[in-house]
Amino acid sequence: MAEHNPVVVIGLGRFGTSLALELVRRGTEVLAIDHRPKITQALAGQITQIATADATDMEALRQLGVPDFYRAVVAVGSDIEASILTTSLLTELEINDIWAKAVSTQHGRILSRIGAHHVVFPEHDMGERVAHLVSGRMLDYMQVDDNFALVKTTPPKDYVGVPLGRSNLRRKYGVTIVAVKPPDEEFTYATADTELSYGDVIIVSGRTTDVERFAELP
Ligand code: ADP
């Protein structure tokens, strides 16, 4: 049930705003907090509950009912002091699931140490992802673990017209083709009988270095 619980989003910069709006779009109730009235006024009506308050003030958090929330996201980034203070107050309030945005490795380390359960590095992660997209044939890239990725790409020419079961892809490149989308059709799971064609889009999974190598094949 925790997944459907309301979420507190603190700090409505670019990251916090798009996060809050996406949560609302997906049907999650959101309490959004920012200390800049201009921001909260601009978003009023688009978010379930929105408040102008300083999140480093424990009394303000209590008055807004923050202690009743299961989950909170500290989306304050550039003001590192405010991010750390706010996170430590949420820890003190024993919020069960605290997410915090970090702008550097050191910042992230501090956030974890003071009790953030998840630390995200949106700028760093997006930079890494875009590097993958601009440097090869990848159409999309998602790192799902330290050394495991999912990649959206097109079939290398040597693998067009060969049933995947006979392609030796897993042995040769360590990758698995998970799904295939022919032009103007939907994605379907790939099977041993699937034959790739030019114009298909494929989803490939495997160790990061392996999928990178595969996506560089002509
Ligand atoms: P982004 O890079 O996503 O735009 P920023 O770190 O620049 O993120 O924005 C953070 C937001 O957090 C800003 O809108 C700012 O007004 C807000 N903020 C900063 N400190 C506090 C605080 N103590 N209490 C509430 N909101 C804060």
Side-chain angles (χ1 to χ4, degrees), residues 164-203:
L164 289 178
R166 287 206 278 116
S167 69
N168 270 336
L169 268 177
R170 213 170 287 173
R171 213 162 37 118
K172 213 159 157 200
Y173 289 99
V175 301
T176 302
I177 297 187
V178 184
V180 181
K181 181 186 183 307
D184 303 321
E185 288 180 41
E186 313 245 293
F187 269 108
T188 49
Y189 293 114
T191 69
D193 302 326
T194 304
E195 283 185 25
L196 305 178
S197 311
Y198 289 109
D200 287 354
V201 173
I202 56 177
I203 305 289

mmCIF file of all heavy atoms in Angstrom, residues 164-203:
data_model
loop_
_atom_site.group_PDB
_atom_site.id
_atom_site.type_symbol
_atom_site.label_atom_id
_atom_site.label_comp_id
_atom_site.label_asym_id
_atom_site.label_seq_id
_atom_site.Cartn_x
_atom_site.Cartn_y
_atom_site.Cartn_z
ATOM 1 N N LEU A 164 17.028 -15.711 -33.552
ATOM 2 C CA LEU A 164 17.868 -15.366 -32.384
ATOM 3 C C LEU A 164 18.459 -16.607 -31.725
ATOM 4 O O LEU A 164 19.573 -16.592 -31.227
ATOM 5 C CB LEU A 164 17.053 -14.569 -31.363
ATOM 6 C CG LEU A 164 16.715 -13.140 -31.801
ATOM 7 C CD1 LEU A 164 15.854 -12.468 -30.736
ATOM 8 C CD2 LEU A 164 17.977 -12.336 -32.055
ATOM 9 N N GLY A 165 17.684 -17.718 -31.767
ATOM 10 C CA GLY A 165 18.152 -18.971 -31.169
ATOM 11 C C GLY A 165 19.449 -19.465 -31.796
ATOM 12 O O GLY A 165 20.190 -20.223 -31.186
ATOM 13 N N ARG A 166 19.711 -19.056 -33.046
ATOM 14 C CA ARG A 166 20.930 -19.525 -33.722
ATOM 15 C C ARG A 166 21.996 -18.431 -33.806
ATOM 16 O O ARG A 166 23.009 -18.581 -34.468
ATOM 17 C CB ARG A 166 20.572 -20.012 -35.132
ATOM 18 C CG ARG A 166 19.830 -21.344 -35.111
ATOM 19 C CD ARG A 166 20.017 -22.132 -36.394
ATOM 20 N NE ARG A 166 19.112 -21.681 -37.457
ATOM 21 C CZ ARG A 166 19.520 -21.137 -38.598
ATOM 22 N NH1 ARG A 166 20.799 -20.963 -38.846
ATOM 23 N NH2 ARG A 166 18.626 -20.756 -39.491
ATOM 24 N N SER A 167 21.734 -17.304 -33.168
ATOM 25 C CA SER A 167 22.634 -16.161 -33.362
ATOM 26 C C SER A 167 23.862 -16.180 -32.455
ATOM 27 O O SER A 167 24.813 -15.458 -32.688
ATOM 28 C CB SER A 167 21.870 -14.858 -33.117
ATOM 29 O OG SER A 167 21.556 -14.775 -31.742
ATOM 30 N N ASN A 168 23.831 -16.988 -31.411
ATOM 31 C CA ASN A 168 24.967 -17.044 -30.476
ATOM 32 C C ASN A 168 25.267 -15.728 -29.772
ATOM 33 O O ASN A 168 26.385 -15.515 -29.303
ATOM 34 C CB ASN A 168 26.250 -17.468 -31.207
ATOM 35 C CG ASN A 168 26.394 -18.961 -31.178
ATOM 36 O OD1 ASN A 168 25.836 -19.616 -30.283
ATOM 37 N ND2 ASN A 168 27.111 -19.498 -32.144
ATOM 38 N N LEU A 169 24.273 -14.842 -29.767
ATOM 39 C CA LEU A 169 24.511 -13.503 -29.215
ATOM 40 C C LEU A 169 24.947 -13.538 -27.762
ATOM 41 O O LEU A 169 25.808 -12.784 -27.338
ATOM 42 C CB LEU A 169 23.218 -12.692 -29.287
ATOM 43 C CG LEU A 169 23.061 -11.862 -30.539
ATOM 44 C CD1 LEU A 169 21.724 -11.160 -30.528
ATOM 45 C CD2 LEU A 169 24.193 -10.847 -30.625
ATOM 46 N N ARG A 170 24.328 -14.435 -27.007
ATOM 47 C CA ARG A 170 24.600 -14.451 -25.573
ATOM 48 C C ARG A 170 26.041 -14.910 -25.326
ATOM 49 O O ARG A 170 26.739 -14.351 -24.501
ATOM 50 C CB ARG A 170 23.609 -15.374 -24.873
ATOM 51 C CG ARG A 170 23.274 -14.862 -23.484
ATOM 52 C CD ARG A 170 22.130 -15.597 -22.865
ATOM 53 N NE ARG A 170 20.847 -15.240 -23.459
ATOM 54 C CZ ARG A 170 19.715 -15.872 -23.152
ATOM 55 N NH1 ARG A 170 19.720 -16.866 -22.299
ATOM 56 N NH2 ARG A 170 18.595 -15.509 -23.712
ATOM 57 N N ARG A 171 26.470 -15.923 -26.107
ATOM 58 C CA ARG A 171 27.822 -16.441 -25.912
ATOM 59 C C ARG A 171 28.854 -15.444 -26.440
ATOM 60 O O ARG A 171 29.876 -15.197 -25.834
ATOM 61 C CB ARG A 171 27.975 -17.783 -26.619
ATOM 62 C CG ARG A 171 28.927 -18.722 -25.890
ATOM 63 C CD ARG A 171 28.717 -20.133 -26.348
ATOM 64 N NE ARG A 171 28.431 -20.112 -27.788
ATOM 65 C CZ ARG A 171 29.202 -20.694 -28.704
ATOM 66 N NH1 ARG A 171 30.257 -21.346 -28.369
ATOM 67 N NH2 ARG A 171 28.883 -20.628 -29.986
ATOM 68 N N LYS A 172 28.557 -14.864 -27.593
ATOM 69 C CA LYS A 172 29.535 -14.008 -28.255
ATOM 70 C C LYS A 172 29.639 -12.623 -27.613
ATOM 71 O O LYS A 172 30.726 -12.074 -27.473
ATOM 72 C CB LYS A 172 29.122 -13.850 -29.718
ATOM 73 C CG LYS A 172 30.305 -13.711 -30.634
ATOM 74 C CD LYS A 172 29.949 -14.072 -32.048
ATOM 75 C CE LYS A 172 30.933 -13.395 -32.982
ATOM 76 N NZ LYS A 172 30.442 -13.285 -34.325
ATOM 77 N N TYR A 173 28.500 -12.074 -27.248
ATOM 78 C CA TYR A 173 28.511 -10.694 -26.731
ATOM 79 C C TYR A 173 28.007 -10.578 -25.293
ATOM 80 O O TYR A 173 28.046 -9.508 -24.709
ATOM 81 C CB TYR A 173 27.669 -9.778 -27.625
ATOM 82 C CG TYR A 173 28.338 -9.535 -28.952
ATOM 83 C CD1 TYR A 173 27.967 -10.254 -30.064
ATOM 84 C CD2 TYR A 173 29.378 -8.609 -29.052
ATOM 85 C CE1 TYR A 173 28.603 -10.066 -31.276
ATOM 86 C CE2 TYR A 173 30.014 -8.415 -30.265
ATOM 87 C CZ TYR A 173 29.634 -9.143 -31.370
ATOM 88 O OH TYR A 173 30.283 -8.958 -32.544
ATOM 89 N N GLY A 174 27.478 -11.660 -24.737
ATOM 90 C CA GLY A 174 26.971 -11.615 -23.361
ATOM 91 C C GLY A 174 25.665 -10.853 -23.231
ATOM 92 O O GLY A 174 25.277 -10.480 -22.124
ATOM 93 N N VAL A 175 24.971 -10.620 -24.360
ATOM 94 C CA VAL A 175 23.735 -9.834 -24.271
ATOM 95 C C VAL A 175 22.525 -10.677 -24.642
ATOM 96 O O VAL A 175 22.640 -11.700 -25.317
ATOM 97 C CB VAL A 175 23.766 -8.589 -25.200
ATOM 98 C CG1 VAL A 175 24.936 -7.697 -24.840
ATOM 99 C CG2 VAL A 175 23.792 -8.992 -26.665
ATOM 100 N N THR A 176 21.359 -10.232 -24.206
ATOM 101 C CA THR A 176 20.099 -10.896 -24.534
ATOM 102 C C THR A 176 19.174 -9.888 -25.192
ATOM 103 O O THR A 176 19.031 -8.778 -24.682
ATOM 104 C CB THR A 176 19.427 -11.418 -23.245
ATOM 105 O OG1 THR A 176 20.337 -12.299 -22.604
ATOM 106 C CG2 THR A 176 18.135 -12.149 -23.544
ATOM 107 N N ILE A 177 18.583 -10.285 -26.298
ATOM 108 C CA ILE A 177 17.568 -9.417 -26.909
ATOM 109 C C ILE A 177 16.249 -9.745 -26.240
ATOM 110 O O ILE A 177 15.791 -10.898 -26.251
ATOM 111 C CB ILE A 177 17.523 -9.598 -28.432
ATOM 112 C CG1 ILE A 177 18.895 -9.161 -28.971
ATOM 113 C CG2 ILE A 177 16.385 -8.770 -29.044
ATOM 114 C CD1 ILE A 177 19.037 -9.104 -30.441
ATOM 115 N N VAL A 178 15.678 -8.748 -25.606
ATOM 116 C CA VAL A 178 14.495 -8.971 -24.777
ATOM 117 C C VAL A 178 13.215 -8.758 -25.570
ATOM 118 O O VAL A 178 12.254 -9.503 -25.424
ATOM 119 C CB VAL A 178 14.512 -7.980 -23.585
ATOM 120 C CG1 VAL A 178 13.351 -8.245 -22.652
ATOM 121 C CG2 VAL A 178 15.827 -8.029 -22.847
ATOM 122 N N ALA A 179 13.187 -7.745 -26.395
ATOM 123 C CA ALA A 179 11.954 -7.413 -27.105
ATOM 124 C C ALA A 179 12.275 -6.784 -28.460
ATOM 125 O O ALA A 179 13.359 -6.223 -28.660
ATOM 126 C CB ALA A 179 11.124 -6.447 -26.267
ATOM 127 N N VAL A 180 11.308 -6.915 -29.370
ATOM 128 C CA VAL A 180 11.490 -6.427 -30.738
ATOM 129 C C VAL A 180 10.258 -5.648 -31.168
ATOM 130 O O VAL A 180 9.135 -6.056 -30.888
ATOM 131 C CB VAL A 180 11.663 -7.615 -31.718
ATOM 132 C CG1 VAL A 180 11.886 -7.108 -33.139
ATOM 133 C CG2 VAL A 180 12.790 -8.518 -31.283
ATOM 134 N N LYS A 181 10.519 -4.544 -31.869
ATOM 135 C CA LYS A 181 9.396 -3.757 -32.390
ATOM 136 C C LYS A 181 9.601 -3.529 -33.892
ATOM 137 O O LYS A 181 10.432 -2.710 -34.288
ATOM 138 C CB LYS A 181 9.342 -2.413 -31.658
ATOM 139 C CG LYS A 181 8.207 -1.525 -32.110
ATOM 140 C CD LYS A 181 8.332 -0.160 -31.432
ATOM 141 C CE LYS A 181 7.179 0.743 -31.780
ATOM 142 N NZ LYS A 181 6.968 0.879 -33.231
ATOM 143 N N PRO A 182 8.853 -4.264 -34.743
ATOM 144 C CA PRO A 182 8.925 -3.982 -36.177
ATOM 145 C C PRO A 182 8.287 -2.613 -36.463
ATOM 146 O O PRO A 182 7.484 -2.149 -35.655
ATOM 147 C CB PRO A 182 8.089 -5.114 -36.801
ATOM 148 C CG PRO A 182 7.930 -6.135 -35.720
ATOM 149 C CD PRO A 182 7.970 -5.378 -34.430
ATOM 150 N N PRO A 183 8.630 -1.992 -37.596
ATOM 151 C CA PRO A 183 8.067 -0.676 -37.895
ATOM 152 C C PRO A 183 6.536 -0.712 -37.826
ATOM 153 O O PRO A 183 5.931 -1.675 -38.301
ATOM 154 C CB PRO A 183 8.538 -0.394 -39.327
ATOM 155 C CG PRO A 183 9.633 -1.358 -39.594
ATOM 156 C CD PRO A 183 9.481 -2.511 -38.669
ATOM 157 N N ASP A 184 5.943 0.307 -37.250
ATOM 158 C CA ASP A 184 4.474 0.444 -37.140
ATOM 159 C C ASP A 184 3.795 -0.662 -36.349
ATOM 160 O O ASP A 184 2.592 -0.870 -36.475
ATOM 161 C CB ASP A 184 3.808 0.536 -38.535
ATOM 162 C CG ASP A 184 4.374 1.683 -39.329
ATOM 163 O OD1 ASP A 184 4.627 2.743 -38.726
ATOM 164 O OD2 ASP A 184 4.604 1.494 -40.543
ATOM 165 N N GLU A 185 4.559 -1.460 -35.600
ATOM 166 C CA GLU A 185 3.937 -2.469 -34.740
ATOM 167 C C GLU A 185 4.345 -2.217 -33.297
ATOM 168 O O GLU A 185 5.163 -1.358 -33.037
ATOM 169 C CB GLU A 185 4.363 -3.882 -35.163
ATOM 170 C CG GLU A 185 3.740 -4.332 -36.468
ATOM 171 C CD GLU A 185 4.186 -5.738 -36.849
ATOM 172 O OE1 GLU A 185 4.263 -6.593 -35.952
ATOM 173 O OE2 GLU A 185 4.477 -5.949 -38.037
ATOM 174 N N GLU A 186 3.774 -3.012 -32.397
ATOM 175 C CA GLU A 186 4.101 -2.862 -30.981
ATOM 176 C C GLU A 186 5.304 -3.728 -30.634
ATOM 177 O O GLU A 186 5.652 -4.641 -31.376
ATOM 178 C CB GLU A 186 2.934 -3.341 -30.132
ATOM 179 C CG GLU A 186 1.584 -2.821 -30.561
ATOM 180 C CD GLU A 186 0.994 -1.934 -29.501
ATOM 181 O OE1 GLU A 186 0.665 -2.457 -28.428
ATOM 182 O OE2 GLU A 186 0.883 -0.707 -29.770
ATOM 183 N N PHE A 187 5.879 -3.475 -29.459
ATOM 184 C CA PHE A 187 6.932 -4.344 -28.957
ATOM 185 C C PHE A 187 6.351 -5.704 -28.595
ATOM 186 O O PHE A 187 5.259 -5.782 -28.026
ATOM 187 C CB PHE A 187 7.553 -3.746 -27.690
ATOM 188 C CG PHE A 187 8.725 -2.858 -27.979
ATOM 189 C CD1 PHE A 187 8.616 -1.483 -27.834
ATOM 190 C CD2 PHE A 187 9.940 -3.405 -28.389
ATOM 191 C CE1 PHE A 187 9.705 -0.669 -28.095
ATOM 192 C CE2 PHE A 187 11.030 -2.592 -28.641
ATOM 193 C CZ PHE A 187 10.916 -1.224 -28.506
ATOM 194 N N THR A 188 7.068 -6.780 -28.935
ATOM 195 C CA THR A 188 6.703 -8.103 -28.428
ATOM 196 C C THR A 188 7.968 -8.755 -27.873
ATOM 197 O O THR A 188 9.075 -8.370 -28.246
ATOM 198 C CB THR A 188 6.153 -9.035 -29.537
ATOM 199 O OG1 THR A 188 7.061 -8.983 -30.635
ATOM 200 C CG2 THR A 188 4.767 -8.651 -29.972
ATOM 201 N N TYR A 189 7.777 -9.746 -26.992
ATOM 202 C CA TYR A 189 8.945 -10.444 -26.440
ATOM 203 C C TYR A 189 9.674 -11.168 -27.558
ATOM 204 O O TYR A 189 9.040 -11.723 -28.448
ATOM 205 C CB TYR A 189 8.506 -11.468 -25.391
ATOM 206 C CG TYR A 189 7.922 -10.830 -24.169
ATOM 207 C CD1 TYR A 189 6.588 -10.996 -23.844
ATOM 208 C CD2 TYR A 189 8.729 -10.046 -23.350
ATOM 209 C CE1 TYR A 189 6.059 -10.389 -22.721
ATOM 210 C CE2 TYR A 189 8.203 -9.438 -22.228
ATOM 211 C CZ TYR A 189 6.867 -9.610 -21.916
ATOM 212 O OH TYR A 189 6.357 -9.010 -20.822
ATOM 213 N N ALA A 190 10.978 -11.172 -27.481
ATOM 214 C CA ALA A 190 11.761 -11.915 -28.463
ATOM 215 C C ALA A 190 11.826 -13.376 -28.036
ATOM 216 O O ALA A 190 11.901 -13.668 -26.846
ATOM 217 C CB ALA A 190 13.164 -11.333 -28.527
ATOM 218 N N THR A 191 11.770 -14.295 -29.008
ATOM 219 C CA THR A 191 11.903 -15.726 -28.701
ATOM 220 C C THR A 191 13.053 -16.273 -29.550
ATOM 221 O O THR A 191 13.615 -15.552 -30.383
ATOM 222 C CB THR A 191 10.621 -16.503 -29.050
ATOM 223 O OG1 THR A 191 10.501 -16.511 -30.481
ATOM 224 C CG2 THR A 191 9.389 -15.887 -28.431
ATOM 225 N N ALA A 192 13.335 -17.563 -29.363
ATOM 226 C CA ALA A 192 14.431 -18.172 -30.125
ATOM 227 C C ALA A 192 14.136 -18.142 -31.629
ATOM 228 O O ALA A 192 15.043 -18.143 -32.457
ATOM 229 C CB ALA A 192 14.635 -19.605 -29.659
ATOM 230 N N ASP A 193 12.840 -18.081 -31.994
ATOM 231 C CA ASP A 193 12.484 -18.086 -33.423
ATOM 232 C C ASP A 193 12.445 -16.700 -34.042
ATOM 233 O O ASP A 193 12.304 -16.559 -35.261
ATOM 234 C CB ASP A 193 11.085 -18.709 -33.603
ATOM 235 C CG ASP A 193 11.030 -20.110 -33.058
ATOM 236 O OD1 ASP A 193 12.070 -20.796 -33.161
ATOM 237 O OD2 ASP A 193 9.981 -20.503 -32.508
ATOM 238 N N THR A 194 12.525 -15.659 -33.201
ATOM 239 C CA THR A 194 12.413 -14.299 -33.735
ATOM 240 C C THR A 194 13.555 -14.005 -34.710
ATOM 241 O O THR A 194 14.714 -14.274 -34.415
ATOM 242 C CB THR A 194 12.476 -13.260 -32.584
ATOM 243 O OG1 THR A 194 11.453 -13.569 -31.649
ATOM 244 C CG2 THR A 194 12.319 -11.840 -33.095
ATOM 245 N N GLU A 195 13.170 -13.469 -35.880
ATOM 246 C CA GLU A 195 14.201 -13.010 -36.826
ATOM 247 C C GLU A 195 14.122 -11.504 -36.919
ATOM 248 O O GLU A 195 13.052 -10.952 -37.147
ATOM 249 C CB GLU A 195 13.943 -13.613 -38.209
ATOM 250 C CG GLU A 195 14.364 -15.056 -38.298
ATOM 251 C CD GLU A 195 14.225 -15.617 -39.710
ATOM 252 O OE1 GLU A 195 14.263 -14.833 -40.686
ATOM 253 O OE2 GLU A 195 14.067 -16.842 -39.834
ATOM 254 N N LEU A 196 15.247 -10.848 -36.747
ATOM 255 C CA LEU A 196 15.258 -9.384 -36.810
ATOM 256 C C LEU A 196 15.279 -8.919 -38.263
ATOM 257 O O LEU A 196 15.798 -9.615 -39.131
ATOM 258 C CB LEU A 196 16.483 -8.837 -36.072
ATOM 259 C CG LEU A 196 16.633 -9.286 -34.616
ATOM 260 C CD1 LEU A 196 17.912 -8.708 -34.012
ATOM 261 C CD2 LEU A 196 15.423 -8.840 -33.798
ATOM 262 N N SER A 197 14.693 -7.736 -38.485
ATOM 263 C CA SER A 197 14.706 -7.147 -39.829
ATOM 264 C C SER A 197 15.256 -5.734 -39.731
ATOM 265 O O SER A 197 15.231 -5.121 -38.660
ATOM 266 C CB SER A 197 13.285 -7.042 -40.383
ATOM 267 O OG SER A 197 12.606 -8.246 -40.230
ATOM 268 N N TYR A 198 15.701 -5.203 -40.878
ATOM 269 C CA TYR A 198 16.096 -3.796 -40.906
ATOM 270 C C TYR A 198 14.874 -2.964 -40.536
ATOM 271 O O TYR A 198 13.757 -3.290 -40.939
ATOM 272 C CB TYR A 198 16.576 -3.403 -42.307
ATOM 273 C CG TYR A 198 17.904 -4.011 -42.657
ATOM 274 C CD1 TYR A 198 18.001 -5.025 -43.614
ATOM 275 C CD2 TYR A 198 19.071 -3.576 -42.020
ATOM 276 C CE1 TYR A 198 19.227 -5.601 -43.915
ATOM 277 C CE2 TYR A 198 20.298 -4.157 -42.317
ATOM 278 C CZ TYR A 198 20.365 -5.164 -43.261
ATOM 279 O OH TYR A 198 21.571 -5.737 -43.557
ATOM 280 N N GLY A 199 15.056 -1.931 -39.791
ATOM 281 C CA GLY A 199 13.919 -1.085 -39.414
ATOM 282 C C GLY A 199 13.325 -1.471 -38.066
ATOM 283 O O GLY A 199 12.546 -0.724 -37.499
ATOM 284 N N ASP A 200 13.700 -2.679 -37.549
ATOM 285 C CA ASP A 200 13.221 -3.053 -36.217
ATOM 286 C C ASP A 200 13.913 -2.205 -35.156
ATOM 287 O O ASP A 200 15.025 -1.735 -35.359
ATOM 288 C CB ASP A 200 13.578 -4.520 -35.886
ATOM 289 C CG ASP A 200 12.723 -5.513 -36.655
ATOM 290 O OD1 ASP A 200 11.786 -5.069 -37.340
ATOM 291 O OD2 ASP A 200 13.026 -6.720 -36.555
ATOM 292 N N VAL A 201 13.232 -2.062 -34.030
ATOM 293 C CA VAL A 201 13.873 -1.482 -32.852
ATOM 294 C C VAL A 201 13.924 -2.612 -31.828
ATOM 295 O O VAL A 201 12.959 -3.358 -31.678
ATOM 296 C CB VAL A 201 13.058 -0.283 -32.317
ATOM 297 C CG1 VAL A 201 13.616 0.208 -30.995
ATOM 298 C CG2 VAL A 201 13.062 0.847 -33.338
ATOM 299 N N ILE A 202 15.063 -2.774 -31.162
ATOM 300 C CA ILE A 202 15.200 -3.877 -30.216
ATOM 301 C C ILE A 202 15.599 -3.376 -28.826
ATOM 302 O O ILE A 202 16.201 -2.310 -28.699
ATOM 303 C CB ILE A 202 16.242 -4.923 -30.699
ATOM 304 C CG1 ILE A 202 17.604 -4.251 -30.951
ATOM 305 C CG2 ILE A 202 15.763 -5.628 -31.953
ATOM 306 C CD1 ILE A 202 18.711 -5.229 -31.355
ATOM 307 N N ILE A 203 15.223 -4.162 -27.822
ATOM 308 C CA ILE A 203 15.661 -3.876 -26.448
ATOM 309 C C ILE A 203 16.662 -4.963 -26.069
ATOM 310 O O ILE A 203 16.361 -6.154 -26.182
ATOM 311 C CB ILE A 203 14.486 -3.918 -25.441
ATOM 312 C CG1 ILE A 203 13.362 -2.968 -25.859
ATOM 313 C CG2 ILE A 203 14.972 -3.612 -24.022
ATOM 314 C CD1 ILE A 203 13.657 -1.513 -25.714
#
